[in-house]
Each structure stands twice: as C-alpha cells, then as structure tokens.
Amino acid sequence: MSIDIGLIRQSWALVEPVADKVTMHFYAKLFADYPHVREMFPPAMDVQRDRLLQALTRVVLNLEDGAGVVDYLGQLARDHRKYGVMPEHYPAVGRCLVIAMRANAGNAWRSVYDSAWIDAYQFIADVMIKAAEQESAYAPPAWEGVVVGHEMRTPEIAVVTVEPTQPYAYKAGQYATLQTPHWPKVWRPYSIANAPRRDNRLTFHVRIVPGGWVSTALAHRTRPGDTLLLGPPRGSLLLERASTPHLIFIAGGTGLAPLKALIEESMWLPARPSIDLFHGIRHSGDAYDLADLRDLRSHHRRLRVVQAVSDDPEEWRRENAVDALLNHRVMLDGDVFVCGSPDMVQVTTARLLHIGVPPHLIHTEFTPGAPTLVYS
Ligand SMILES: Cc1cc2nc3c(=O)[nH]c(=O)nc-3n(C[C@H](O)[C@H](O)[C@H](O)COP(=O)(O)OP(=O)(O)OC[C@H]3O[C@@H](n4cnc5c(N)ncnc54)[C@H](O)[C@@H]3O)c2cc1C
Ligand code: HEM
C-alpha cells in the first residue's frame, strides 16, 4: 500500500490548530456509534485525552522511519491488549477519526485527504493487529504483580517493588504501565529501575504528583501484599543503542530509574563500558537513591556517580546535570542517554547539541506520543 505523506502533511496543517476539537468530536462519535467500546476507557477522560490522535499523527508523519515506527506500533498494540482491544475495533476508530478530522478542518479539506488517511490508518492498524495476534499466543494481556516492597525514600518519592505472578520478560531501560486497584482502568507508565533479575521482581521509583491519581495511590495507598496490574514492557531506551565504550547518563529526578537499570545490565557485559552518571535533583533532600548508587559504584569500578543539585540555597554549588558534566570535564566522546521530564529532556538535548555532542550519540525515549511524556 502506498501512503501519500504529502497529502497527510497538507491535511495535518489544517487539523493541528483544531486538534482539541477533533479529539472531542472523535470520542463523541466513537462512543455514540459504538457504545460498547466506552467501557474500555477510563470513566474520566480529561487527562491526556489527546494521546491517541497525537500518537497516530506522529506515527504517520514519521512513517519514513520504518523500523522505529513498526517497533513502536508493535509495543503499542501489545499494550492495547490490556484494554480488551480486538481486530474488529480498529475500523471503528479509523472511521470516527477521519470523520472528526473532516468535520473540523474547514472548507479547505479535500476528499483526497480522506483516502490518504484511510490508507495510512489501514497500514498502522494492520501492523498493530498482527503484533497483538502474535503476542496473544504466549503472553497475557496484563500481568498481576504482588507488591513485595514499599519504601518512602523522601516525602515525595516511593520505591515500590513488585513480583509478577507470571514471568515478565523485558529489557533494561524499558517501562511498564501500572494500574492500582484504587483507579480501575487508569494506567500510567513507570520505568523499571532494575535489569531483569532471576527472582522476576521489578522496582519502580514513583514521585508523587500533587493531586495525581496513580502516583499518589502508589505512594500513599499501596502496601506489601497488594496486587497491581502491569501492562507489557515498552520503550526503546536500550543499551544496544550505544555505539561507544563510554556512556554518559544524564538523569533528572526519577528519570534515574531506567538509567540505573542500564547500569546494572552493563555489569553483565564482557567489556564493561565506563559510565559517568549525572543525577540532577533540585534539593539535596531529593537524593532518594544514594545508598543503592553507592552499592552499584562499589561493584562497578568504571562507574562515576555525580549528584547535581540545582535549586538548594543550602548548597554552595548549584548546578544542573549538564553544568556538572562540564565542570567535571567529562570527555564528550561517548553515547549520552538522557531521561527526565519532557522539559528536562528537551533543554538538556538542546544544550548537548550546542556543546557539540553529535545528534546520533544522544539517546532519549522514542515516543511518537512525546507530548505525554511526564516524569517528575
Ligand atoms: C515513558 C514514561 C515513563 C515514566 N516513568 C516514571 C517513573 O519512573 N517515575 C515516575 O514517578 N513517573 C514516571 N512517569 C510519569 C507517570 O507516568 C505519571 O504521569 C505520573 O506519575 C503522574 O500520574 P498521576 O496519575 O499521579 O497524575 P495524573 O492524575 O495523570 O495527573 C494529575 C494532574 O497533574 C498533572 N501532572 C501530571 N504529571 C505531572 C508532573 N510530572 N508535573 C506536574 N504536573 C503533572 C496532570 O497534567 C494533571 O493535571 C513516566 C511517564 C512516561 C511517559
Ligand atoms: C491506529 C490505531 C491506534 C493508535 C495509534 C492508538 C494509540 C493510542 C495511544 C497512544 C494511547 C495512549 C496510551 C498509550 O500510549 O499506550 C491509546 C490509548 C487507548 N486506546 Fe488506542 N490506539 C489505536 C487504536 C485503538 C483502538 C482500535 C481501540 C479500541 C477501541 C483503542 C483503545 C484505546 C484505549 C481504551 C486507550 C486507553 C485510553 C486512556 O487510558 O485514556 N485504541 N491509544
């Protein structure tokens, strides 16, 4: 099937300014015409409701990145099994989406745009349906995980360890979506803070977002013995992306989690890379993982750990992680992995490029739904 990206781009220019309206129209139409799909979605859909449209358009606009997009769609499709999505639901979503775009884009909309989107959607739907079908042969749609550890490391950060009741295969650096019994049907992604272990246990670093549903429930209302639900592993912040023996890890807050998993994994490699980890925190009291980092350091002689404190008036030296990197005169000859809030990742990446790190050596999570990437 040939997809006319030119037409998609032209039509997206009409849709983008009214994306909110399109999203509202899309869900209203979907739930009116196919009422049975409503129960798959959370009761309140105000938070990040635009993710589907955002993801879809980003995927379509990035279709040239063949392998990356297919990999992302495969993960998305496997993840959609937990909602109960079946192949027959895809045409309904595609139909409502095109109707919503056409209805809101104004008079400049042309009928050829309909066909361009139908073709693109069909391609995406085919990839997703196939990936979900393959996965259903050997993996459940979601995993039950018993909480076996729960520790408030600071008033805002909990470290939660979960033991899935079935094997949970993932790669260091990936994340899982979690659902707590307090908020049925509400899923949020959290990075897995450890490399795969023999005991199948997964540790998560959860920062409380004030008023946040899932983070607050995980920190304040979850105890050992409780059962959570886990979606399948997702994400592409993997060690295999590195092409040099020197790794520079830049973490903001709980963005430390996946990088810590990568450090653990690197210890199994026959030739351990040298790693400089810069962990940016705002106040010295936010240093929630020092003991574990020291322990890692004692097992990995080529690991350096630097804590950069940016906003603490008590600190004589206030610096963010990139300042610290420069102050420590780190050789910028290696792969740089960046993980943190969307703002932190954006600012850090721009600064790294500015100081001369080549773009191909900078690695962040590839998420066509990037506007939703919310770490603390
Ligand atoms: C790939 C990925 C990995 C992630 N990994 C982690 C992780 O390891 N640890 C972790 O703590 N979080 C992580 N997050 C963020 C996490 O998924 C949730 O978004 C976060 O915990 C808030 O969820 P909530 O249900 O508590 O808040 P919600 O109920 O979703 O949000 C409540 C309100 O707070 C706003 N809000 C949400 N997040 C923030 C924020 N960070 N700052 C300010 N306002 C906010 C929302 O817009 C909303 O208005 C990750 C996100 C992504 C995309
Ligand atoms: C091309 C097809 C589709 C794309 C690109 C897509 C994309 C997305 C994205 C990006 C999300 C946000 C959560 C995440 O990142 O995992 C999402 C959520 C969801 N999708 Fe899809 N989706 C598609 C098809 C479908 C279909 C056919 C259904 C079935 C009706 C469906 C049902 C859902 C549900 C129930 C959610 C959860 C919503 C929420 O938690 O608010 N999706 N989808």
Side-chain angles (χ1 to χ4, degrees):
M1 177 188 303
S2 70
I3 297 163
D4 194 328
I5 298 283
L7 289 177
I8 296 278
R9 290 219 165 94
Q10 281 172 28
S11 56
W12 180 239
L14 303 174
V15 171
E16 196 173 16
V18 288
D20 279 359
K21 281 189 189 163
V22 173
T23 302
M24 265 172 14
H25 193 131
F26 161 73
Y27 280 114
K29 182 85 188 142
L30 183 69
F31 296 157
D33 291 3
Y34 308 93
H36 59 285
V37 307
R38 176 65 185 93
E39 65 189 33
M40 289 180 194
F41 290 82
M45 289 199 50
D46 48 340
V47 178
Q48 301 171 4
R49 187 180 46 188
D50 57 349
R51 290 178 300 185
L52 198 156
L53 181 64
Q54 291 277 4
L56 194 65
T57 46
R58 279 191 169 231
V59 165
V60 173
L61 295 172
N62 286 295
L63 274 177
E64 282 110 343
D65 174 14
V69 162
V70 169
D71 188 44
Y72 169 77
L73 287 175
Q75 293 190 9
L76 188 64
R78 291 189 276 278
D79 202 54
H80 268 55
R81 293 180 60 224
K82 73 190 182 199
Y83 303 130
V85 174
M86 304 299 281
E88 58 269 27
H89 296 128
Y90 281 87
V93 164
R95 176 178 161 267
C96 295
L97 203 66
V98 175
I99 290 175
M101 286 198 275
R102 190 197 311 134
N104 292 280
N107 294 335
W109 187 266
R110 297 161 54 199
S111 59
V112 281
Y113 297 156
D114 283 10
S115 6
W117 277 95
I118 289 167
D119 288 350
Y121 181 84
Q122 192 60 50
F123 170 80
I124 290 169
D126 288 347
V127 173
M128 289 180 67
I129 290 169
K130 198 167 154 212
E133 195 182 275
Q134 283 170 351
E135 176 89 345
S136 65
Y138 57 88
W143 283 250
E144 285 194 346
V146 180
V147 176
V148 292
H150 188 285
E151 215 183 318
M152 289 304 300
R153 292 270 178 93
T154 77
E156 275 124 32
I157 299 182
V159 171
V160 182
T161 300
V162 174
E163 189 170 313
T165 55
Q166 285 175 269
Y168 188 88
Y170 70 99
K171 290 183 176 174
Q174 289 194 298
Y175 60 89
T177 51
L178 298 182
Q179 187 192 120
T180 82
H182 303 285
W183 293 107
K185 296 188 186 166
V186 178
W187 297 86
R188 298 282 185 261
Y190 293 93
S191 295
I192 305 166
N194 58 286
R197 293 199 289 235
R198 277 209 200 100
D199 63 9
N200 199 31
R201 290 182 173 187
L202 314 171
T203 294
F204 299 93
H205 298 170
V206 180
R207 175 187 284 276
I208 297 172
V209 167
W213 292 1
V214 176
S215 60
T216 309
L218 286 170
H220 287 161
R221 300 172 69 189
T222 302
R223 295 286 166 264
D226 291 353
T227 299
L228 307 176
L229 281 181
L230 291 91
R234 289 176 67 176
S236 63
L237 198 65
L238 308 178
L239 213 49
E240 65 205 35
R241 284 168 72 171
S243 56
T244 67
H246 177 204
L247 306 180
I248 301 165
F249 288 171
I250 303 182
T254 54
L256 174 65
L259 301 182
K260 194 176 163 194
L262 293 181
I263 294 173
E264 282 187 15
E265 191 193 21
S266 77
M267 296 180 16
W268 297 99
L269 295 178
R272 278 187 194 177
S274 78
I275 302 181
D276 287 304
L277 168 68
F278 289 85
H279 185 206
I281 51 177
R282 292 208 171 92
H283 301 276
S284 38
D286 299 334
Y288 67 92
D289 209 30
L290 276 179
D292 278 20
L293 290 174
R294 264 189 219 115
D295 188 47
L296 268 182
R297 170 82 191 77
S298 69
H299 290 95
H300 193 319
R301 279 191 297 121
R302 303 187 71 205
L303 169 68
R304 165 163 56 170
V305 178
V306 177
Q307 199 95 240
V309 185
S310 60
D311 296 344
D312 195 329
E314 307 276 302
E315 287 288 319
W316 67 272
R317 177 137 129 184
R318 287 191 288 279
E319 55 184 4
N320 66 27
V322 183
D323 297 329
L325 178 100
L326 295 173
N327 290 337
H328 281 78
R329 298 178 190 282
V330 171
M331 286 280 286
L332 297 174
D333 59 349
D335 290 88
V336 189
F337 287 68
V338 184
C339 193
S341 70
D343 284 353
M344 178 271 179
V345 171
Q346 203 180 15
V347 170
T348 305
T349 305
R351 195 134 173 242
L352 290 169
L353 291 170
H354 183 71
I355 59 178
V357 180
H360 72 276
L361 290 181
I362 304 177
H363 309 287
T364 62
E365 184 59 76
F366 168 68
T367 43
T372 68
L373 209 142
V374 189
Y375 269 88
S376 303

